[in-house]
Structure formats: structure tokens, C-alpha cells
Amino acid sequence: MIIVMKHGAADTEVDAVVSKIREAGLREHVSRGAELTIIGAIGDEGKLSPAHFEMMPGVDRATRVVKQYKIVSRDTHPQGSIINIRGIPLGGEQIQVIAGPCSIETQEQMDIAADAVAAAGCSMMRGGAFKPRTSPYAFQGLGVEGLEIFQQAARSHNLPIVTELMDVRMLDTFIEHDVDVIQIGARNMQNFDLLKEVGRVNKPVILKRGLSATISEWLMSAEYIAAGGNHNIIFCERGIRTFETAYRNVLDITAIPVLKRETHLPVIVDPSHAGGKAWMVPALAQAAVAAGADGLLIEMHPNPCEAWCDADQALSPQELKQLMVTLSAIATAVGRKL
Ligand code: PEP
Ligand code: MN
């Protein structure tokens, strides 16, 4: 930790800071400049809190130098991690596209969707059985029945399934229903109890970025999962809230290279919830692949006009197929495969 003293801080104030560092079992390095005195605390800074120093007389500010996230950090694991999802590698040379409807509606809808996902060449299928809706009166998802419908549809094409877990009480049900990837939605990115529980199971987790979460908060949320022993974490950028209202969210493309530098874990992008309109999805998906995303999470519905949830942003089966062709060319251009 670095403690910067105020201009003209007294020697007694510097001594008090040094004593506090030593009390915690660390050593100090005092650097007296012409203008300022800066004190470095050497040792396990986890034992110190910047706030405790900032309350002391003569202290201007205190900053940690070691990152708060360790397991997910690239510092501790320089090689990129590849997550194995029922034999499908996510995070390597191959870019994986996960597609499917926003929500599971009927067996017929999911059967047609699974056919379309497989026909387009996507490797995994999405679909929500438990939906985080803004209005309590909107369709909330089919619940457990939806998981059964989903499994039946996806298994016919051997597609691993990705679905959102909102309530920790449903975790056992997800495991019993053999959900392949647990999605933690944007609204639950900082539901720490939920994160701790998915940290205790051995299932891959897609951790979506919170609506207004910083990169650092997002990494810390992933660390919550990793700290429980589950290191199979996939970050999913899905757009953030800004002042702009012309689209649902702002896709933060910059987050892709920044995260790839900060963490060894795979990073995917959801262009559907970012743009909020189907016509924006191809451009955003292409940009994501060009910027280094390891995969995409795309909403597709057999008949978008009839979708029970997020109809505006769903691609049709034909549009998904077309997009996969374009993405393949971009993947090749950036040294990846689709
Ligand atoms: C979803 O993927 O269906 C969803 C609700 O996404 P988000 O949590 O990003 O809003
Ligand atoms: Mn949706």
C-alpha cells in the first residue's frame, strides 16, 4: 500500500503512520521529497485498509498496489484458460456461438429453435426458464417445466444448454436437470450469496456484466465464484447503461481487450441485450469477434414477431445462419476459427 502524506505533514504524523504499518506486521519505506512524503507499506497489504490510514491526521490518501482479485487475474495464470463445456472448448482458437430464444415458451418453439441453432453451425443453445423481468406482471418464464422442455429440444442435437439461475434455491434443480452452463444475469452480478453458491459447484458459469458495473467490480464478482473453488468462469459483456437512449445498452467493446489483459478467463459478448434491436446484432457481433471475443451469446427465435420476451432483438433462423457466414470470415481474419 502507498500512503501519501499531505503537503507539510508533521514528522509526528509520519511516525504515527509508520507505527500503524509496523503494528500490522509490515515494514515501511519512507520517501521524503521536497514537496511530499510518501510511505510504502511492504508485506501482506491484505492486513491493511486504506480507509484506516485516510482517517489519520496528515494523510492525504492511501492506495492498494496489489489487485484484490487473485485467482481470476492473469498475473497468477499468464496462459489463457480454456473452459471445457461437455467437450466443447471455450477460450481457445475456436470461437463458440451460443444461440437460442430469450425464453423457453413451448416444446415446439424450442424444437424448432434447436434445429435452427444446429443448422446455423452454433455449438451451444441458450434459453431462459427463469426470467428477470422489469415488471412483475410480465411473463416470468416456465420455471422447472422449461428446463425439461429445453433438455428435450437440445439433446436431440447434442447441444449443451445455457440457462439463467436467479435464485440460489434452484441450484440443486439445475444440477438435477443437468444444466451445462449456469448463467448469472446482469441483475445478479453482485448477488454475492448467489455467486458464493455457484462457486461451490463444478459447472461452468457465464457471469454477465452488471448494468452499471465497472470492470473491477466485475472481476471481483468473478473472484467470489473462483474463491469457492469453481474456476470455470466465462465473462459476458452485454452492454452497460449510459446517457444514450438510442439503443438498449452501450456495448463496451473496450471491455474485451481490457478483460483479456486482466484475466486468463474467456470473454464472450451478448450483442442482443446490448443493441436491443435485431438489426443491430450483426454489426455488434462482428465487432466483438474482431475485438477478440471468445464467443457470442445471441438471441434467436423461430418466429421473432411472436416471441414472448425480447421480440425486438431476436434474429430469425435465417438471419442467424447468414451472420455465422460473416462471422466465420472475420474469425479467420483475426487468426481464429468459427
Ligand atoms: C438474458 O440473457 O436473457 C438476460 C436477461 O440478459 P441480461 O442479464 O444481460 O439482461
Ligand atoms: Mn433476453
Side-chain angles (χ1 to χ4, degrees):
M1 186 171 297
I2 304 285
I3 299 118
V4 182
M5 302 301 293
K6 282 182 183 152
H7 187 82
D11 285 350
T12 50
E13 292 168 337
V14 173
D15 291 346
V17 169
V18 169
S19 301
K20 197 166 180 61
I21 292 169
R22 289 184 184 169
E23 275 164 30
L26 285 82
R27 287 179 295 116
E28 77 285 355
H29 181 272
V30 181
S31 166
R32 290 177 199 273
E35 299 265 330
L36 291 173
T37 296
I38 296 170
I39 307 165
I42 302 153
D44 179 7
E45 70 170 13
K47 293 179 179 152
L48 305 176
S49 159
H52 290 158
F53 287 99
E54 286 174 348
M55 287 163 66
M56 296 177 76
V59 173
D60 183 40
R61 58 191 185 274
T63 324
R64 289 190 193 279
V65 288
V66 177
K67 288 172 188 161
Q68 287 283 80
Y69 45 92
K70 296 184 170 62
I71 306 169
V72 307
S73 169
R74 213 180 252 281
D75 293 350
T76 51
H77 194 294
Q79 205 76 2
S81 283
I82 297 179
I83 313 281
N84 182 334
I85 303 166
R86 272 211 292 122
I88 297 170
L90 179 49
E93 188 188 12
Q94 180 97 25
I95 291 165
Q96 306 296 354
V97 181
I98 307 161
C102 180
S103 63
I104 300 154
E105 300 164 8
T106 65
Q107 189 67 61
E108 191 195 9
Q109 169 242 15
M110 289 303 280
D111 288 344
I112 300 170
D115 292 347
V117 168
C122 303
S123 53
M124 285 174 262
M125 187 167 177
R126 62 151 289 148
F130 299 88
K131 296 303 304 175
R133 304 304 301 276
T134 302
S135 164
Y137 305 116
F139 173 57
Q140 304 285 305
L142 293 184
V144 179
E145 186 198 348
L147 296 180
E148 284 155 14
I149 291 174
F150 195 1
Q151 277 296 7
Q152 192 172 323
R155 286 289 182 255
S156 62
H157 291 283
N158 201 27
L159 293 164
I161 67 169
V162 177
T163 195
E164 178 167 354
L165 176 72
M166 292 206 297
D167 187 331
V168 74
R169 288 169 296 185
M170 292 312 292
L171 183 54
D172 287 344
T173 308
F174 270 47
I175 291 164
E176 280 157 25
H177 283 74
D178 212 12
V179 167
D180 298 293
V181 182
I182 298 171
Q183 178 175 318
I184 299 295
R187 290 152 194 84
N188 274 314
M189 190 204 84
Q190 286 190 313
N191 182 340
F192 299 120
D193 287 338
L194 186 60
L195 300 179
K196 282 180 193 166
E197 288 303 315
V198 298
R200 290 146 59 108
V201 299
N202 194 22
K203 290 265 178 200
V205 177
I206 288 181
L207 179 64
K208 286 197 152 194
R209 183 176 186 177
L211 273 67
S212 298
T214 64
I215 301 274
S216 154
E217 287 164 341
W218 194 9
L219 286 158
M220 293 302 292
S221 288
E223 188 76 15
Y224 261 95
I225 301 172
N230 187 356
H231 298 182
N232 299 306
I233 307 160
I234 300 141
F235 288 86
C236 180
E237 161 63 35
R238 46 78 74 201
I240 48 170
R241 280 257 168 102
T242 73
F243 51 84
E244 185 54 74
T245 54
Y247 20 87
R248 191 171 180 180
N249 291 293
V250 174
L251 180 64
D252 183 9
I253 286 285
T254 318
I256 304 167
V258 171
L259 271 186
K260 295 292 296 178
R261 194 181 160 102
E262 284 299 315
T263 174
H264 55 92
L265 294 164
V267 180
I268 67 169
V269 166
D270 172 350
S272 309
H273 290 87
K277 298 280 180 215
W279 63 266
M280 296 177 186
V281 170
L284 302 182
Q286 290 162 30
V289 170
D294 297 302
L296 295 165
L297 182 69
I298 300 177
E299 288 191 345
M300 181 277 306
H301 192 281
N303 186 1
C305 302
E306 300 289 318
W308 296 3
C309 184
D310 284 348
D312 281 7
Q313 66 194 36
L315 296 185
S316 67
Q318 189 49 39
E319 287 167 337
L320 179 65
K321 205 169 187 173
Q322 189 58 47
L323 175 58
M324 289 295 281
V325 176
T326 321
L327 292 176
S328 174
I330 296 174
T332 308
V334 294
R336 309 284 291 267
K337 279 199 240 158
L338 193 76

